Amino acid sequence: MDIRQIRYFVYAVEGTSLSAAAKRQYVTVQAVSKAISELESELGSRLLIRGNHGVQPSAIGLAFYERARK
């Protein structure tokens, strides 16, 4: 886990999309998606629920977000 992955996750939750996080960090959507997927694998839990209209945090993702944004 690194700060970049956490930052991407926080920005994705706040912007409700991977593209919002990508724009905020000046990277590609693919880079954000990969970093968050790696974070989820490392934690062994799904943090984001991905849909056609963006993302929303899972229950575990919401708890992680609350800690991570501090």
Side-chain angles (χ1 to χ4, degrees), residues 1 5 7 9 11 15 17-18 24 28 31 35 38 45 47-48 50 54 62-64 66-67:
M1 178 182 324
Q5 293 169 315
R7 195 173 289 134
F9 169 74
Y11 293 155
S17 73
L18 299 181
R24 192 164 174 186
T28 65
E38 289 170 354
S45 296
L47 299 175
L48 291 177
R50 293 159 172 86
L62 188 57
F64 186 81
E66 292 298 326
R67 300 281 312 258

Side-chain angles (χ1 to χ4, degrees), residues 4-5 18 29-39 50:
R4 174 187 53 88
Q5 293 169 315
L18 299 181
V29 173
Q30 293 83 359
V32 171
S33 180
K34 183 178 180 198
I36 292 174
S37 291
E38 289 170 354
L39 179 61
R50 293 159 172 86

Side-chain angles (χ1 to χ4, degrees), residues 8-61:
Y8 291 171
F9 169 74
V10 168
Y11 293 155
V13 171
E14 290 175 351
T16 68
S17 73
L18 299 181
S19 61
K23 285 179 186 176
R24 192 164 174 186
Q25 290 292 287
Y26 303 101
V27 297
T28 65
V29 173
Q30 293 83 359
V32 171
S33 180
K34 183 178 180 198
I36 292 174
S37 291
E38 289 170 354
L39 179 61
E40 290 174 325
S41 292
E42 198 171 325
L43 295 174
S45 296
R46 189 171 179 183
L47 299 175
L48 291 177
I49 299 166
R50 293 159 172 86
N52 292 336
H53 301 289
V55 297
Q56 61 182 5
S58 65
I60 293 171

